[in-house]
Amino acid sequence: MTRVVVDREVCMGAGVCEMEAPEVFELDADGVPQVHEPVDLAVVETAVRACPTGALQLMD
Ligand code: SF4
């Protein structure tokens, strides 16, 4: 199953992922997205591409 990994050191909390896929990403109190599984791959791929810092990675 594909998972989404968030690099907390790279994420700047812009929230683009949450805007693109609010059913998958939810920013926590620190502004870092928590990932709700399972993920819809098509939706998540859009969010991964839209992340301005490259903090999101898809892993099998
Ligand atoms: S879009 Fe990228 S930088 Fe912005 S909150 Fe999501 S993971 Fe972090």
Side-chain angles (χ1 to χ4, degrees):
M1 186 175 72
T2 302
R3 297 183 305 119
V4 185
V5 177
V6 182
D7 186 336
R8 298 180 67 95
E9 300 299 318
V10 174
C11 173
M12 65 176 191
V16 176
C17 54
E18 190 180 54
M19 284 188 280
E20 290 287 342
E23 65 274 44
V24 176
F25 299 100
E26 182 179 1
L27 297 195
D28 65 16
D30 296 324
V32 176
Q34 302 301 301
V35 181
H36 298 298
E37 309 272 358
V39 299
D40 178 333
L41 196 53
V43 172
V44 165
E45 282 176 338
T46 302
V48 169
R49 279 196 300 271
C51 174
T53 64
L56 301 175
Q57 234 188 332
L58 292 175
M59 300 187 81
D60 289 321

